[in-house]
Amino acid sequence: MPIRRAIALLAGASLAVALTGCDKDDAEPPASATGSTVPTATPAPTTLPTSSITCSSPKPEGPFTYSTDREELEALAPLIGDPVVFDSTFDDVDADELGLLIERGFVDPDGDTNGSPSMWEFHEFLCEHPEVRAIGFIPGALPGDEQAIASLQTVYADVLSDKLRKDARAFCRSTPDRTLRGHLECFWD
């Protein structure tokens, strides 16, 4: 039997086993010492919570501590923007959504991505230009890493006004990956 056919048969058998496995309703949540069931996970939010960090807020002061709630961060990401290619990348981030990420401890306002402006400077730029959006990402967790981190790496707009072009030249000065003709796109890789 040719090896490719054998691999196809094994793959088909594995798929059949997976498809006949347990249904989600077959599993019972663990029981506590008193015999009552214990919830296995916190339900994911279905709407984006509001943030106290707005465009009129001052930059948060004091030491920044990253949240350790990676599950909350991964649940918020699809509510913040549209998934792009990978589940860990999200698009269409505005100033309010970035404010929420900062408030929840997922984005360090003083942090940057590969020499980009600080995340607080991203926030100010998005506030100044509400037509601009950003793309963010959640880096994969390393073994033993308990921090839940998100960051931004791109700003973009479909239309460039004279003021946006001028402000974007200054904001995007630290990246060679920028477009300022016809539309705005600046990427820090």
Side-chain angles (χ1 to χ4, degrees), residues 112-118 121-122 153 167-178 186-189:
D112 66 36
T113 301
N114 301 321
S116 74
S118 73
E121 290 169 314
F122 266 84
Q153 65 187 18
D167 292 349
R169 278 192 185 112
F171 185 77
C172 300
R173 71 184 172 276
S174 64
T175 182
D177 294 325
R178 63 180 167 259
C186 298
F187 175 68
W188 288 269
D189 181 25

Side-chain angles (χ1 to χ4, degrees), residues 1-10:
M1 173 184 314
I3 292 176
R4 290 171 77 192
R5 186 159 186 257
I7 292 172
L9 286 172
L10 286 173

Side-chain angles (χ1 to χ4, degrees), residues 81-96:
D82 303 322
V84 180
V85 185
F86 306 105
D87 290 337
S88 61
T89 304
F90 47 93
D91 189 358
D92 201 30
V93 179
D94 64 20
D96 292 334

Side-chain angles (χ1 to χ4, degrees), residues 23-49:
D23 189 317
K24 66 178 173 130
D25 296 329
D26 293 339
E28 292 183 27
S32 69
T34 62
S36 64
T37 58
V38 178
T40 56
T42 306
T46 56
T47 60
L48 190 65

Side-chain angles (χ1 to χ4, degrees), residues 50-62:
T50 57
S51 171
S52 63
I53 295 179
T54 65
C55 288
S56 59
S57 298
K59 179 181 170 198
E61 295 297 323

